[in-house]
Amino acid sequence: MSQNDQETALPRCPGCEEPLERGDLFCGACGYDLSAVPEPPRDRPTVAIAAPGAAAAPAVRHDGPGASGDFELAAPDAAPDPRAVAEPAPAPAAGGKVCVACRAGRVDGDGYCENCGHAQPRERDHMEQELGAVAAVSDRGLRHHRNEDSFAVSTTALPDGSPAVVAIVCDGVSSASRPDEASAAAASTANESLLASLPRGTHPQQAMHEAIVAAAESVNRLAQKPGAPERDPHRHQNAPACTLVGAVMASGLLVVGWVGDSRVYWVPEDRSTAPARLTEDDSWAAQMVATGLMNEAEAYADERAHAITGWLGADAYELEPHTASFKPDRPGIVVVCTDGLWNYAESAAEMAAAVPEDAYARPLHGAQVLVGHALDGGGHDNVTVALLPFAVSPQGGA
């Protein structure tokens, strides 16, 4: 056999096509790692493998008459064979969450896609709920990494069978620990308290007061570390905290309650009369105005304006729930919201202008529009709003 015949019989390097010595682990000409290219079995299908950098592997082929049985190597940047079928991504397990990015991978317990690694939106990043007579929307906003607001909306019946509608909105204090847990605990507890007391015949204003007290106690318990003494002296240090505002519509009354700087606005349906803000902030600015030390423009222009002076939490100075009762004489929209919304519509007139004309008939759509108004304005904070259409009968009943 001639030297040329011998070279022809020898295997060739997949990288440079130079002849190889049998048993070589690396190509002596270009250094190609040969250990990753096993000898294919004869008389069996062989898979064509693309060289490093190739676009895609060509289709599977079978040995035939005159076939060498060697691997076919696509040239670098070769176009994929149109007959090739891509390997599908593993389907998510039954009941598992599907990635919002690749729509194929399963989401693991930490909230990341196992296929593409994309972080998934958390459940609280955007929440919506509608119960016919009340609707609420909460959004993380554009600047915060999580949503520390929470809400609860519900309906129940009074002892006489007439309906009662409840909306609670809470805003976690970002400078405190676990503010998201605080707002969730407060909203849930206040709602449960109202659902327990209103059907028993408790007056709505008294029921609101009791609900705020119960919510405060639930937030206080978050500060108690597991295993610590009941009166842990360190429980006040950076304790979980939140604000709370709520509204109850029952028996023709509108009852509001609050601690902190979340607010309630009244917007008449026909816009024929002036809207109104129904709450007063527990804030530094409001305190300056109330004591006559500054006018409203001066107080709210100060950098300390939005520092709150009342909140729910183990480190609160003293719990002072505020409640008020109103009896509207015309239909309207009750807007219950955090400062993530009212920072972009602070006055009652500005809020009324932001509330869409059809909000009375479409409260969920109205809440969505208001959240969009805050996001369009910059979305610097979490945004939460609940809308309650208030109906008045011709006789003045609810």
Side-chain angles (χ1 to χ4, degrees), residues 237-377:
Q237 296 179 1
N238 199 31
C242 68
T243 69
L244 181 148
V245 66
V248 172
M249 298 189 310
S251 299
L253 292 177
L254 169 60
V255 172
V256 300
W258 74 96
V259 174
D261 64 348
S262 294
R263 296 178 175 180
V264 177
Y265 292 83
W266 166 257
V267 179
E269 184 202 2
D270 59 8
R271 314 296 170 97
S272 61
T273 57
R277 173 153 63 96
L278 305 182
T279 58
E280 290 292 335
D281 299 343
D282 288 322
S283 70
W284 183 90
Q287 195 173 66
M288 293 299 102
V289 174
T291 56
L293 296 175
M294 289 184 177
N295 63 40
E296 190 165 332
E298 293 171 336
Y300 280 96
D302 194 284
E303 62 181 9
R304 297 167 289 181
H306 293 285
I308 59 174
T309 57
W311 60 89
L312 307 184
D315 60 352
Y317 300 121
E318 184 177 350
L319 179 63
E320 296 183 6
H322 310 288
T323 61
S325 180
F326 305 89
K327 193 165 186 177
D329 61 357
R330 65 198 65 212
I333 296 291
V334 182
V335 181
V336 185
C337 65
T338 62
D339 62 347
L341 172 59
W342 67 252
N343 276 330
Y344 299 97
E346 187 165 347
S347 70
E350 290 172 326
M351 184 62 72
V355 174
E357 294 289 341
D358 62 352
Y360 186 86
R362 302 171 63 197
L364 178 59
H365 173 257
Q368 293 167 338
V369 169
L370 288 173
V371 168
H373 175 79
L375 298 181
D376 290 343

Side-chain angles (χ1 to χ4, degrees), residues 86 90 103 113 119 125 148 194 205 217 227 232-233 288 295 346 349 359 372:
R103 306 301 301 170
C113 175
D125 282 356
E148 296 169 355
L194 287 163
Q205 192 164 354
E217 292 172 351
D232 181 5
M288 293 299 102
N295 63 40
E346 187 165 347

